[in-house]
Coordinates of all heavy atoms in Angstrom, one line a residue:
M1 N -53.0 46.5 -40.7 CA -53.0 47.9 -40.9 C -53.6 48.3 -42.2 O -54.3 49.3 -42.3 CB -51.5 48.3 -40.9 CG -51.3 49.8 -41.0 SD -52.0 50.6 -39.5 CE -51.5 52.3 -39.8
R2 N -53.4 47.5 -43.2 CA -54.0 47.8 -44.5 C -55.5 47.7 -44.5 O -56.2 48.5 -45.1 CB -53.4 46.8 -45.6 CG -53.8 47.1 -47.0 CD -53.0 46.2 -47.9 NE -53.3 46.5 -49.3 CZ -52.8 46.0 -50.3 NH1 -51.8 45.1 -50.1 NH2 -53.1 46.4 -51.5
K3 N -56.0 46.7 -43.8 CA -57.4 46.6 -43.6 C -58.1 47.8 -42.9 O -59.1 48.2 -43.3 CB -57.7 45.3 -42.9 CG -59.2 44.9 -42.8 CD -59.4 43.6 -42.1 CE -60.8 43.2 -42.0 NZ -61.0 41.9 -41.4
A4 N -57.4 48.3 -41.9 CA -57.9 49.5 -41.2 C -58.0 50.7 -42.1 O -58.9 51.5 -42.1 CB -57.1 49.7 -40.0
I5 N -57.0 50.8 -42.9 CA -56.9 52.0 -43.9 C -58.0 51.8 -44.9 O -58.7 52.8 -45.2 CB -55.6 52.1 -44.5 CG1 -54.5 52.5 -43.5 CG2 -55.6 53.1 -45.7 CD1 -53.1 52.4 -44.0
N6 N -58.3 50.6 -45.4 CA -59.3 50.4 -46.4 C -60.7 50.7 -45.8 O -61.6 51.3 -46.4 CB -59.3 49.0 -46.9 CG -58.1 48.8 -47.9 OD1 -57.6 49.8 -48.5 ND2 -57.7 47.6 -48.1
I7 N -60.9 50.2 -44.6 CA -62.2 50.5 -43.9 C -62.4 51.9 -43.6 O -63.5 52.5 -43.9 CB -62.3 49.6 -42.6 CG1 -62.4 48.1 -43.0 CG2 -63.5 50.0 -41.8 CD1 -62.3 47.2 -41.8
S8 N -61.4 52.6 -43.2 CA -61.6 54.1 -42.9 C -61.8 54.8 -44.2 O -62.6 55.8 -44.2 CB -60.4 54.6 -42.1 OG -59.2 54.5 -42.9
A9 N -61.1 54.5 -45.3 CA -61.3 55.1 -46.5 C -62.8 54.9 -47.1 O -63.4 55.8 -47.6 CB -60.3 54.7 -47.6
L10 N -63.2 53.7 -46.9 CA -64.6 53.3 -47.3 C -65.6 54.1 -46.5 O -66.6 54.7 -47.1 CB -64.9 51.8 -47.2 CG -66.2 51.4 -47.6 CD1 -66.5 51.6 -49.1 CD2 -66.4 49.9 -47.2
L11 N -65.4 54.2 -45.2 CA -66.4 55.0 -44.4 C -66.3 56.4 -44.8 O -67.4 57.1 -44.8 CB -66.0 54.8 -42.9 CG -66.3 53.4 -42.3 CD1 -65.8 53.4 -40.9 CD2 -67.8 53.2 -42.3
F12 N -65.2 57.0 -45.0 CA -65.1 58.4 -45.4 C -65.8 58.6 -46.8 O -66.5 59.6 -46.9 CB -63.6 58.8 -45.6 CG -63.4 60.2 -45.9 CD1 -63.7 61.2 -45.0 CD2 -63.0 60.6 -47.2 CE1 -63.5 62.6 -45.4 CE2 -62.8 61.9 -47.6 CZ -63.1 62.9 -46.7
F13 N -65.6 57.7 -47.7 CA -66.3 57.8 -49.0 C -67.8 57.7 -48.9 O -68.6 58.5 -49.5 CB -65.8 56.7 -50.0 CG -66.5 56.7 -51.3 CD1 -66.3 57.7 -52.2 CD2 -67.4 55.7 -51.6 CE1 -66.9 57.7 -53.4 CE2 -68.1 55.7 -52.8 CZ -67.8 56.7 -53.7
V14 N -68.3 56.8 -48.0 CA -69.7 56.7 -47.8 C -70.3 58.0 -47.1 O -71.3 58.5 -47.5 CB -70.1 55.5 -46.9 CG1 -71.5 55.5 -46.4 CG2 -69.8 54.2 -47.7
W15 N -69.5 58.5 -46.2 CA -69.9 59.8 -45.5 C -70.0 60.9 -46.6 O -70.9 61.7 -46.5 CB -68.9 60.1 -44.4 CG -69.2 61.4 -43.8 CD1 -70.3 61.7 -42.9 CD2 -68.5 62.6 -43.9 NE1 -70.2 63.0 -42.6 CE2 -69.1 63.6 -43.2 CE3 -67.4 63.0 -44.7 CZ2 -68.7 64.9 -43.1 CZ3 -66.9 64.3 -44.6 CH2 -67.6 65.2 -43.8
L16 N -69.0 61.0 -47.5 CA -69.1 62.0 -48.5 C -70.3 61.9 -49.4 O -70.9 62.9 -49.7 CB -67.8 62.0 -49.3 CG -66.6 62.7 -48.8 CD1 -65.4 62.5 -49.7 CD2 -66.8 64.1 -48.6
V17 N -70.6 60.7 -49.8 CA -71.7 60.5 -50.7 C -73.0 60.9 -49.9 O -73.9 61.5 -50.5 CB -71.8 59.0 -51.2 CG1 -73.1 58.7 -51.8 CG2 -70.6 58.7 -52.1
L18 N -73.2 60.4 -48.7 CA -74.4 60.7 -47.9 C -74.5 62.2 -47.7 O -75.6 62.8 -47.8 CB -74.4 60.0 -46.6 CG -74.6 58.5 -46.7 CD1 -74.5 57.8 -45.3 CD2 -75.9 58.2 -47.4
D19 N -73.4 62.9 -47.4 CA -73.4 64.3 -47.2 C -73.7 65.1 -48.5 O -74.4 66.1 -48.5 CB -72.1 64.8 -46.7 CG -72.1 66.2 -46.1 OD1 -73.1 66.6 -45.5 OD2 -71.1 67.0 -46.4
T20 N -73.3 64.6 -49.6 CA -73.6 65.2 -50.9 C -75.0 65.1 -51.2 O -75.6 66.1 -51.8 CB -72.7 64.6 -52.0 OG1 -71.3 64.7 -51.7 CG2 -73.0 65.3 -53.4
L21 N -75.6 64.0 -50.9 CA -77.0 63.8 -51.2 C -78.0 64.4 -50.1 O -79.2 64.2 -50.2 CB -77.3 62.3 -51.3 CG -76.6 61.6 -52.5 CD1 -76.9 60.1 -52.5 CD2 -77.1 62.2 -53.8
N22 N -77.4 65.0 -49.1 CA -78.2 65.7 -48.1 C -79.0 64.7 -47.3 O -80.1 65.0 -46.8 CB -79.1 66.8 -48.6 CG -78.6 68.1 -48.2 OD1 -77.7 68.2 -47.4 ND2 -79.2 69.1 -48.8
V23 N -78.5 63.5 -47.1 CA -79.3 62.4 -46.4 C -79.4 62.8 -44.9 O -80.5 62.6 -44.4 CB -78.6 61.1 -46.6 CG1 -79.2 60.0 -45.7 CG2 -78.7 60.6 -48.0
P24 N -78.4 63.3 -44.2 CA -78.6 63.6 -42.8 C -79.6 64.6 -42.5 O -80.5 64.5 -41.6 CB -77.2 64.1 -42.3 CG -76.2 63.5 -43.3 CD -77.0 63.4 -44.6
S25 N -79.7 65.7 -43.3 CA -80.7 66.7 -43.1 C -82.1 66.2 -43.5 O -83.1 66.6 -42.8 CB -80.3 68.0 -43.9 OG -80.4 67.7 -45.3
A26 N -82.2 65.4 -44.5 CA -83.5 64.8 -44.9 C -84.0 63.9 -43.8 O -85.2 64.0 -43.4 CB -83.4 64.1 -46.2
L27 N -83.1 63.1 -43.2 CA -83.5 62.3 -42.1 C -83.9 63.1 -40.9 O -84.9 62.7 -40.2 CB -82.4 61.3 -41.8 CG -82.7 60.3 -40.6 CD1 -83.8 59.4 -41.0 CD2 -81.4 59.5 -40.4
L28 N -83.2 64.1 -40.6 CA -83.5 64.9 -39.4 C -84.8 65.6 -39.6 O -85.7 65.7 -38.7 CB -82.4 66.0 -39.2 CG -82.4 66.7 -37.9 CD1 -82.3 65.8 -36.7 CD2 -81.3 67.8 -37.8
N29 N -85.1 66.1 -40.8 CA -86.4 66.8 -41.1 C -87.5 65.8 -41.0 O -88.6 66.1 -40.6 CB -86.4 67.4 -42.5 CG -85.7 68.7 -42.5 OD1 -85.5 69.4 -41.5 ND2 -85.3 69.1 -43.7
F30 N -87.3 64.5 -41.4 CA -88.3 63.5 -41.3 C -88.6 63.2 -39.9 O -89.8 63.1 -39.5 CB -87.9 62.2 -42.0 CG -88.9 61.1 -41.9 CD1 -90.1 61.2 -42.5 CD2 -88.6 60.0 -41.1 CE1 -91.1 60.1 -42.3 CE2 -89.5 59.0 -41.0 CZ -90.7 59.0 -41.6
L31 N -87.6 63.1 -39.0 CA -87.8 62.7 -37.6 C -88.4 63.8 -36.8 O -89.3 63.6 -36.0 CB -86.5 62.2 -37.0 CG -85.9 60.9 -37.6 CD1 -84.6 60.6 -36.9 CD2 -86.9 59.8 -37.3
L32 N -88.0 65.1 -37.0 CA -88.4 66.2 -36.2 C -89.7 66.8 -36.7 O -90.6 67.2 -35.9 CB -87.3 67.2 -36.1 CG -86.0 66.8 -35.4 CD1 -85.0 67.9 -35.4 CD2 -86.3 66.4 -34.0
V33 N -89.8 67.0 -38.0 CA -91.0 67.7 -38.6 C -92.0 66.8 -39.2 O -93.2 67.1 -39.3 CB -90.5 68.8 -39.6 CG1 -91.6 69.6 -40.2 CG2 -89.4 69.7 -39.0
G34 N -91.6 65.6 -39.7 CA -92.5 64.7 -40.4 C -92.5 65.0 -41.9 O -93.4 64.5 -42.6
E35 N -91.5 65.7 -42.4 CA -91.5 66.0 -43.8 C -91.0 64.8 -44.6 O -89.9 64.3 -44.3 CB -90.6 67.2 -44.1 CG -90.5 67.6 -45.5 CD -89.5 68.8 -45.7 OE1 -89.3 69.6 -44.8 OE2 -88.9 68.8 -46.8
L36 N -91.7 64.4 -45.6 CA -91.3 63.3 -46.4 C -90.2 63.7 -47.4 O -90.3 64.7 -48.1 CB -92.4 62.7 -47.2 CG -93.6 62.1 -46.4 CD1 -94.7 61.7 -47.2 CD2 -93.0 61.0 -45.5
P37 N -89.1 63.0 -47.4 CA -87.9 63.4 -48.3 C -88.4 63.4 -49.8 O -89.0 62.5 -50.3 CB -86.9 62.4 -48.1 CG -87.2 61.8 -46.8 CD -88.7 61.9 -46.6
G38 N -88.0 64.5 -50.5 CA -88.3 64.6 -51.9 C -89.6 65.2 -52.2 O -90.0 65.4 -53.4
T39 N -90.4 65.5 -51.2 CA -91.7 66.1 -51.4 C -91.9 67.3 -50.5 O -91.0 67.5 -49.6 CB -92.9 65.1 -51.1 OG1 -92.8 64.7 -49.7 CG2 -92.7 63.8 -51.9
T40 N -93.0 68.0 -50.7 CA -93.3 69.1 -49.7 C -94.4 68.7 -48.7 O -94.9 69.5 -48.0 CB -93.7 70.3 -50.5 OG1 -94.9 70.0 -51.3 CG2 -92.6 70.8 -51.4
T41 N -94.7 67.4 -48.7 CA -95.7 66.9 -47.8 C -95.2 66.6 -46.4 O -94.1 66.1 -46.3 CB -96.3 65.6 -48.4 OG1 -96.7 65.8 -49.7 CG2 -97.5 65.1 -47.6
A42 N -95.9 67.0 -45.4 CA -95.6 66.8 -44.0 C -96.6 65.9 -43.4 O -97.8 66.1 -43.6 CB -95.4 68.1 -43.3
L43 N -96.2 65.0 -42.6 CA -97.1 64.1 -41.8 C -97.6 64.8 -40.6 O -96.9 65.7 -40.0 CB -96.4 62.8 -41.5 CG -95.9 61.9 -42.7 CD1 -95.2 60.7 -42.1 CD2 -97.1 61.5 -43.6
S44 N -98.8 64.4 -40.1 CA -99.3 65.0 -38.9 C -98.5 64.5 -37.7 O -97.9 63.4 -37.7 CB -100.7 64.6 -38.7 OG -100.9 63.2 -38.4
P45 N -98.4 65.3 -36.6 CA -97.7 64.9 -35.4 C -98.2 63.6 -34.8 O -97.4 62.8 -34.3 CB -97.9 66.1 -34.4 CG -98.2 67.2 -35.3 CD -98.9 66.7 -36.5
T46 N -99.5 63.4 -34.9 CA -100.0 62.1 -34.3 C -99.5 60.9 -35.1 O -99.2 59.9 -34.5 CB -101.6 62.2 -34.4 OG1 -102.0 63.4 -33.7 CG2 -102.2 61.0 -33.7
L47 N -99.5 61.0 -36.4 CA -99.0 59.9 -37.2 C -97.5 59.7 -37.0 O -97.1 58.6 -36.9 CB -99.3 60.2 -38.7 CG -98.9 59.1 -39.7 CD1 -99.7 57.8 -39.4 CD2 -99.2 59.6 -41.1
M48 N -96.7 60.8 -36.9 CA -95.3 60.6 -36.6 C -95.1 60.0 -35.3 O -94.2 59.1 -35.1 CB -94.6 62.0 -36.6 CG -94.3 62.5 -38.0 SD -93.3 61.3 -39.0 CE -91.8 61.3 -38.1
L49 N -95.9 60.3 -34.3 CA -95.8 59.7 -32.9 C -96.1 58.2 -33.0 O -95.4 57.4 -32.4 CB -96.7 60.4 -31.9 CG -96.7 59.8 -30.5 CD1 -95.4 59.9 -29.9 CD2 -97.8 60.4 -29.7
A50 N -97.1 57.9 -33.8 CA -97.5 56.4 -34.0 C -96.4 55.7 -34.7 O -96.0 54.6 -34.3 CB -98.8 56.3 -34.8
L51 N -95.8 56.3 -35.7 CA -94.7 55.6 -36.5 C -93.4 55.5 -35.6 O -92.8 54.4 -35.6 CB -94.3 56.5 -37.7 CG -95.3 56.4 -38.9 CD1 -94.8 57.4 -39.9 CD2 -95.4 55.0 -39.4
M52 N -93.1 56.5 -34.8 CA -91.9 56.4 -33.9 C -92.2 55.4 -32.8 O -91.3 54.6 -32.4 CB -91.6 57.7 -33.3 CG -91.0 58.7 -34.3 SD -89.4 58.2 -34.9 CE -89.7 58.2 -36.6
T53 N -93.4 55.3 -32.3 CA -93.7 54.3 -31.2 C -93.6 52.9 -31.8 O -93.1 52.0 -31.1 CB -95.1 54.6 -30.7 OG1 -95.2 55.9 -30.2 CG2 -95.5 53.7 -29.5
A54 N -94.2 52.7 -33.0 CA -94.1 51.4 -33.6 C -92.7 51.0 -33.9 O -92.3 49.8 -33.7 CB -95.0 51.4 -34.9
A55 N -91.9 51.9 -34.4 CA -90.5 51.6 -34.7 C -89.7 51.3 -33.4 O -88.9 50.3 -33.4 CB -89.8 52.7 -35.5
T56 N -89.9 52.0 -32.4 CA -89.2 51.8 -31.1 C -89.7 50.4 -30.5 O -88.8 49.7 -30.0 CB -89.5 52.9 -30.1 OG1 -89.1 54.1 -30.7 CG2 -88.8 52.7 -28.8
G57 N -91.0 50.2 -30.6 CA -91.5 48.9 -30.1 C -90.9 47.7 -30.9 O -90.6 46.7 -30.3
L58 N -90.8 47.9 -32.2 CA -90.2 46.8 -33.0 C -88.7 46.6 -32.6 O -88.3 45.4 -32.5 CB -90.3 47.2 -34.5 CG -89.8 46.1 -35.5 CD1 -90.7 44.9 -35.4 CD2 -89.9 46.7 -36.9
V59 N -87.9 47.6 -32.4 CA -86.5 47.5 -32.0 C -86.4 46.8 -30.7 O -85.6 45.9 -30.5 CB -85.8 48.8 -32.1 CG1 -84.5 48.8 -31.4 CG2 -85.7 49.4 -33.5
V60 N -87.2 47.2 -29.7 CA -87.2 46.6 -28.4 C -87.6 45.2 -28.4 O -87.0 44.3 -27.8 CB -88.1 47.4 -27.4 CG1 -88.3 46.7 -26.1 CG2 -87.5 48.8 -27.2
F61 N -88.6 44.9 -29.2 CA -89.1 43.5 -29.3 C -88.0 42.6 -29.9 O -87.7 41.5 -29.5 CB -90.3 43.4 -30.2 CG -90.8 42.0 -30.4 CD1 -91.4 41.3 -29.4 CD2 -90.6 41.4 -31.6 CE1 -91.9 40.0 -29.6 CE2 -91.0 40.1 -31.9 CZ -91.7 39.4 -30.9
E62 N -87.3 43.1 -31.0 CA -86.2 42.3 -31.6 C -85.1 42.1 -30.6 O -84.5 41.0 -30.6 CB -85.7 43.1 -32.8 CG -84.6 42.4 -33.6 CD -85.1 41.1 -34.3 OE1 -86.3 41.0 -34.6 OE2 -84.2 40.2 -34.4
L63 N -84.7 43.1 -29.9 CA -83.6 43.0 -28.9 C -84.0 42.0 -27.8 O -83.2 41.2 -27.4 CB -83.2 44.3 -28.3 CG -82.5 45.3 -29.3 CD1 -82.3 46.6 -28.6 CD2 -81.2 44.7 -29.8
A64 N -85.2 42.0 -27.4 CA -85.7 41.1 -26.3 C -85.7 39.7 -26.8 O -85.4 38.8 -26.1 CB -87.0 41.6 -25.8
A65 N -86.2 39.5 -28.1 CA -86.2 38.2 -28.6 C -84.8 37.6 -28.8 O -84.6 36.4 -28.5 CB -86.9 38.2 -30.0
R66 N -83.9 38.4 -29.2 CA -82.5 37.9 -29.3 C -81.9 37.5 -27.9 O -81.3 36.5 -27.8 CB -81.6 39.0 -29.9 CG -81.8 39.1 -31.4 CD -80.8 40.1 -32.0 NE -81.0 40.3 -33.4 CZ -80.4 41.2 -34.1 NH1 -79.4 41.9 -33.6 NH2 -80.7 41.3 -35.4
R67 N -82.2 38.3 -26.9 CA -81.8 38.1 -25.6 C -82.4 36.8 -25.0 O -81.7 35.9 -24.5 CB -82.2 39.3 -24.7 CG -81.9 39.0 -23.2 CD -80.5 39.2 -22.8 NE -80.3 39.1 -21.4 CZ -79.3 38.6 -20.8 NH1 -78.3 38.3 -21.5 NH2 -79.3 38.5 -19.5
I68 N -83.7 36.6 -25.3 CA -84.3 35.4 -24.8 C -83.7 34.1 -25.5 O -83.5 33.1 -24.9 CB -85.8 35.5 -25.0 CG1 -86.4 36.5 -24.1 CG2 -86.5 34.1 -24.9 CD1 -87.9 36.8 -24.3
E69 N -83.4 34.3 -26.8 CA -82.9 33.1 -27.6 C -81.5 32.8 -27.0 O -81.1 31.6 -26.9 CB -82.8 33.5 -29.0 CG -82.2 32.4 -29.9 CD -82.1 32.8 -31.4 OE1 -82.7 33.8 -31.7 OE2 -81.5 32.0 -32.1
I70 N -80.7 33.8 -26.7 CA -79.3 33.6 -26.2 C -79.4 32.9 -24.8 O -78.7 31.9 -24.6 CB -78.5 34.9 -26.1 CG1 -78.2 35.4 -27.5 CG2 -77.3 34.7 -25.3 CD1 -77.6 36.8 -27.6
V71 N -80.3 33.4 -24.0 CA -80.4 32.7 -22.7 C -80.9 31.3 -22.8 O -80.4 30.4 -22.1 CB -81.4 33.6 -21.8 CG1 -81.8 32.8 -20.5 CG2 -80.8 34.9 -21.5
W72 N -81.8 31.0 -23.7 CA -82.3 29.7 -23.9 C -81.2 28.8 -24.4 O -81.1 27.6 -23.9 CB -83.5 29.7 -25.0 CG -84.0 28.4 -25.2 CD1 -84.9 27.7 -24.4 CD2 -83.8 27.5 -26.3 NE1 -85.2 26.5 -25.0 CE2 -84.5 26.3 -26.1 CE3 -82.9 27.6 -27.4 CZ2 -84.5 25.3 -27.0 CZ3 -82.9 26.6 -28.3 CH2 -83.7 25.4 -28.1
R73 N -80.3 29.2 -25.3 CA -79.2 28.4 -25.8 C -78.2 28.1 -24.6 O -77.7 27.0 -24.5 CB -78.5 29.1 -26.9 CG -79.2 29.0 -28.2 CD -78.4 29.7 -29.3 NE -79.2 29.7 -30.5 CZ -78.7 30.3 -31.6 NH1 -77.6 30.9 -31.6 NH2 -79.5 30.3 -32.7
I74 N -78.0 29.1 -23.8 CA -77.0 28.9 -22.7 C -77.6 27.9 -21.7 O -76.9 27.0 -21.2 CB -76.8 30.2 -22.0 CG1 -75.9 31.1 -22.9 CG2 -76.1 30.0 -20.6 CD1 -75.8 32.5 -22.3
R75 N -78.9 28.0 -21.4 CA -79.5 27.0 -20.5 C -79.5 25.6 -21.1 O -79.3 24.6 -20.4 CB -81.0 27.4 -20.3 CG -81.1 28.5 -19.3 CD -82.5 28.8 -19.0 NE -82.6 30.0 -18.1 CZ -83.7 30.7 -17.9 NH1 -84.8 30.3 -18.5 NH2 -83.7 31.7 -17.1
Q76 N -79.7 25.5 -22.4 CA -79.7 24.1 -23.1 C -78.3 23.5 -23.0 O -78.1 22.4 -22.7 CB -80.2 24.2 -24.5 CG -81.6 24.5 -24.7 CD -82.5 23.4 -24.1 OE1 -82.1 22.2 -24.2 NE2 -83.6 23.8 -23.5
Q77 N -77.3 24.3 -23.2 CA -75.9 23.8 -23.1 C -75.6 23.4 -21.7 O -74.9 22.4 -21.4 CB -74.9 24.9 -23.6 CG -75.0 25.1 -25.1 CD -74.0 26.2 -25.6 OE1 -73.4 26.8 -24.8 NE2 -74.0 26.3 -26.9
F78 N -76.1 24.2 -20.7 CA -75.8 23.9 -19.3 C -76.5 22.6 -18.9 O -75.9 21.8 -18.2 CB -76.4 25.0 -18.4 CG -76.2 24.8 -17.0 CD1 -74.9 24.9 -16.4 CD2 -77.2 24.5 -16.1 CE1 -74.7 24.6 -15.1 CE2 -77.0 24.2 -14.8 CZ -75.8 24.3 -14.3
I79 N -77.7 22.4 -19.4 CA -78.4 21.1 -19.1 C -77.7 20.0 -19.8 O -77.6 18.9 -19.1 CB -79.9 21.2 -19.6 CG1 -80.7 22.2 -18.8 CG2 -80.5 19.9 -19.7 CD1 -82.0 22.5 -19.3
Q80 N -77.2 20.1 -21.0 CA -76.4 19.0 -21.6 C -75.2 18.7 -20.8 O -74.8 17.5 -20.6 CB -76.1 19.4 -23.0 CG -77.2 19.4 -24.0 CD -76.9 19.9 -25.4 OE1 -75.7 20.3 -25.6 NE2 -77.8 19.9 -26.3
V81 N -74.5 19.7 -20.4 CA -73.2 19.5 -19.6 C -73.6 18.8 -18.3 O -72.9 17.8 -17.9 CB -72.5 20.8 -19.3 CG1 -71.4 20.6 -18.3 CG2 -71.9 21.3 -20.6
M82 N -74.7 19.2 -17.6 CA -75.0 18.6 -16.3 C -75.5 17.1 -16.5 O -75.2 16.3 -15.7 CB -76.1 19.4 -15.7 CG -75.7 20.7 -15.2 SD -74.2 20.6 -14.1 CE -74.9 19.9 -12.7
T83 N -76.2 16.8 -17.6 CA -76.6 15.4 -17.8 C -75.4 14.6 -18.2 O -75.3 13.4 -17.8 CB -77.6 15.3 -18.9 OG1 -77.1 15.9 -20.1 CG2 -78.9 16.0 -18.5
R84 N -74.4 15.1 -18.8 CA -73.2 14.3 -19.1 C -72.4 14.0 -17.8 O -71.9 12.9 -17.6 CB -72.2 15.1 -20.0 CG -72.6 15.1 -21.5 CD -71.6 15.7 -22.3 NE -72.2 16.3 -23.5 CZ -71.8 17.4 -24.1 NH1 -70.7 18.0 -23.6 NH2 -72.4 17.9 -25.1
R85 N -72.4 15.0 -16.9 CA -71.7 14.8 -15.7 C -72.4 13.7 -14.8 O -71.7 13.0 -14.1 CB -71.6 16.1 -14.9 CG -70.6 17.0 -15.5 CD -70.4 18.2 -14.6 NE -69.5 19.1 -15.2 CZ -69.2 20.4 -14.8 NH1 -69.9 20.8 -13.8 NH2 -68.4 21.1 -15.4
Q86 N -73.7 13.6 -14.9 CA -74.4 12.7 -14.1 C -74.2 11.2 -14.6 O -74.3 10.3 -13.8 CB -75.9 13.0 -14.0 CG -76.2 14.2 -13.3 CD -77.6 14.7 -13.4 OE1 -78.4 14.0 -14.1 NE2 -78.0 15.7 -12.7
R87 N -73.9 11.1 -15.9 CA -73.7 9.8 -16.4 C -72.3 9.2 -16.1 O -72.1 8.0 -16.2 CB -73.8 9.8 -17.9 CG -75.2 10.1 -18.4 CD -75.3 10.2 -19.9 NE -76.6 10.8 -20.3 CZ -76.8 11.2 -21.5 NH1 -75.9 11.2 -22.4 NH2 -78.0 11.7 -21.8
L88 N -71.4 10.0 -15.7 CA -70.0 9.5 -15.4 C -70.1 8.8 -14.1 O -70.9 9.1 -13.2 CB -69.1 10.7 -15.3 CG -68.8 11.5 -16.6 CD1 -67.9 12.7 -16.3 CD2 -68.1 10.6 -17.6
P89 N -69.2 7.8 -13.9 CA -69.2 7.0 -12.7 C -68.7 7.9 -11.5 O -67.9 8.9 -11.8 CB -68.2 5.9 -12.9 CG -67.4 6.3 -14.1 CD -68.3 7.2 -14.9
R90 N -69.0 7.6 -10.3 CA -68.6 8.4 -9.2 C -67.0 8.3 -9.0 O -66.4 9.3 -8.6 CB -69.3 7.9 -7.9 CG -70.7 8.3 -7.9 CD -71.4 8.0 -6.6 NE -72.7 8.5 -6.6 CZ -73.1 9.4 -5.7 NH1 -72.3 9.8 -4.8 NH2 -74.3 9.8 -5.8
R91 N -66.5 7.1 -9.2 CA -65.0 7.0 -9.0 C -64.4 6.4 -10.3 O -65.0 5.6 -11.0 CB -64.7 6.0 -7.9 CG -65.2 6.6 -6.6 CD -64.8 5.7 -5.5 NE -65.2 6.2 -4.2 CZ -64.8 5.9 -3.1 NH1 -63.9 4.9 -3.0 NH2 -65.3 6.4 -2.0
R92 N -63.3 6.9 -10.6 CA -62.6 6.4 -11.8 C -62.1 5.0 -11.6 O -62.2 4.2 -12.5 CB -61.5 7.4 -12.1 CG -60.9 7.1 -13.5 CD -60.0 8.2 -13.9 NE -59.4 7.8 -15.2 CZ -59.0 8.7 -16.1 NH1 -59.2 10.0 -15.8 NH2 -58.5 8.3 -17.2
F93 N -61.5 4.7 -10.5 CA -60.9 3.4 -10.2 C -61.7 2.8 -9.1 O -62.0 3.4 -8.1 CB -59.4 3.5 -9.9 CG -58.6 4.2 -10.9 CD1 -58.2 5.5 -10.8 CD2 -58.3 3.6 -12.1 CE1 -57.4 6.1 -11.7 CE2 -57.6 4.2 -13.1 CZ -57.2 5.5 -12.9
S94 N -61.9 1.5 -9.2 CA -62.6 0.8 -8.1 C -61.6 0.5 -7.0 O -60.4 0.4 -7.2 CB -63.2 -0.5 -8.7 OG -62.2 -1.4 -9.1
R95 N -62.1 0.2 -5.8 CA -61.3 -0.1 -4.7 C -60.7 -1.5 -4.9 O -61.4 -2.4 -5.3 CB -62.0 0.0 -3.4 CG -62.3 1.4 -3.0 CD -62.9 1.3 -1.7 NE -63.0 2.7 -1.1 CZ -63.6 3.0 0.0 NH1 -64.2 2.1 0.7 NH2 -63.6 4.2 0.4
I96 N -59.5 -1.7 -4.4 CA -58.9 -3.0 -4.5 C -58.9 -3.7 -3.1 O -58.8 -3.1 -2.1 CB -57.4 -2.9 -5.0 CG1 -57.5 -2.3 -6.4 CG2 -56.8 -4.3 -5.0 CD1 -56.1 -2.1 -7.0

């Protein structure tokens, strides 16, 4: 219970700091308008589209690479288990 209270208090404190520094509105202006935070410069729509496409592609590539790595590990473990089972004798006790 104490850990949950500490985590919620920390999240609330971080939210207050971010809200005080106007980070959500700066991020929203950057994403929608292309305005660079702290300046009056705005990026062109074509450049913003290229940046967003590259960022989305990078995230999708990272998620796909993790998925492929997880599937590869599962297959390797499955192969190891199957090779162990093939090495075991067919019967535990011999016929008398």
Side-chain angles (χ1 to χ4, degrees):
M1 182 68 175
R2 187 174 183 173
K3 186 176 181 180
I5 293 171
N6 287 339
I7 290 173
S8 62
L10 179 66
L11 288 175
F12 181 72
F13 176 71
V14 168
W15 176 73
L16 278 177
V17 169
L18 290 177
D19 192 40
T20 303
L21 296 175
N22 250 351
V23 171
S25 64
L27 182 62
L28 192 62
N29 282 341
F30 175 70
L31 293 176
L32 294 179
V33 183
E35 179 184 333
L36 296 176
T39 65
T40 58
T41 308
L43 300 175
S44 68
T46 307
L47 185 58
M48 280 303 296
L49 178 64
L51 288 174
M52 288 296 125
T53 304
T56 303
L58 185 64
V59 168
V60 168
F61 177 75
E62 181 67 29
L63 291 175
R66 285 184 185 177
R67 172 78 175 150
I68 290 170
E69 182 181 348
I70 289 171
V71 169
W72 182 78
R73 285 183 184 174
I74 291 171
R75 285 183 182 166
Q76 290 298 324
Q77 288 177 356
F78 180 73
I79 289 171
Q80 288 175 357
V81 168
M82 291 305 292
T83 55
R84 282 188 211 145
R85 287 185 182 170
Q86 290 173 356
R87 292 180 193 164
L88 294 175
R90 290 185 172 239
R91 295 184 181 198
R92 187 171 179 151
F93 302 106
S94 62
R95 286 185 170 173
I96 299 179

